[in-house]
């Protein structure tokens, strides 16, 4: 559910302990870890990489970046992306 919209960007809180699915957005997407830890997996030139995000960390997936978030236990994440982004 969206909690705000800013210049066409949707702001969505997520609370989860389950990984998302690999996906590519048609707009930039920002992940802000509000609580917990998240391993963000992404691919660069077909090679998978991972960065561990701690509370307060931000990860930006640019247009066309393939990525998936894997929370380590329960995490609270704020996602900011273009409204209606797929």
């Amino acid at each position: 559910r969206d909690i705000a919209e800013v210049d066409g960007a949707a702001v969505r809180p997520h609370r989860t302990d389950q990984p998302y699915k690999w996906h590519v957005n048609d707009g930039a997407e920002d992940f802000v870890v509000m609580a917990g830890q998240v391993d963000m997996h992404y691919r660069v030139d077909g090679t998978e990489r991972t960065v561990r995000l701690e509370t307060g960390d931000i990860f930006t997936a640019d247009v066309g970046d393939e990525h998936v978030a894997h929370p380590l236990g329960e995490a609270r994440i704020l996602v900011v992306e273009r409204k209606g982004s797929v």
Side-chain angles (χ1 to χ4, degrees):
R1 79 193 147 123
D2 297 352
I3 60 170
E5 184 178 335
V6 180
D7 289 335
V11 179
R12 297 184 184 108
H14 292 273
R15 182 179 186 169
T16 185
D17 61 359
Q18 298 297 309
Y20 293 89
K21 296 179 182 175
W22 279 99
H23 65 285
V24 175
N25 293 82
D26 56 2
E29 181 176 22
D30 292 317
F31 293 83
V32 182
V33 179
M34 304 303 291
Q37 295 178 316
V38 176
D39 280 348
M40 181 62 72
H41 300 258
Y42 59 101
R43 293 190 177 125
V44 176
D45 297 325
T47 301
E48 186 175 330
R49 299 183 183 178
T50 304
V51 62
R52 174 145 309 154
L53 305 174
E54 306 281 346
T55 299
D57 288 342
I58 299 171
F59 178 88
T60 298
D62 287 324
V63 177
D65 287 349
E66 190 175 16
H67 59 283
V68 62
H70 286 253
L72 304 174
E74 185 174 273
R76 294 180 185 183
I77 306 163
L78 192 67
V79 177
V80 180
E81 64 184 341
R82 183 169 47 191
K83 189 166 181 73
S85 182
V86 180

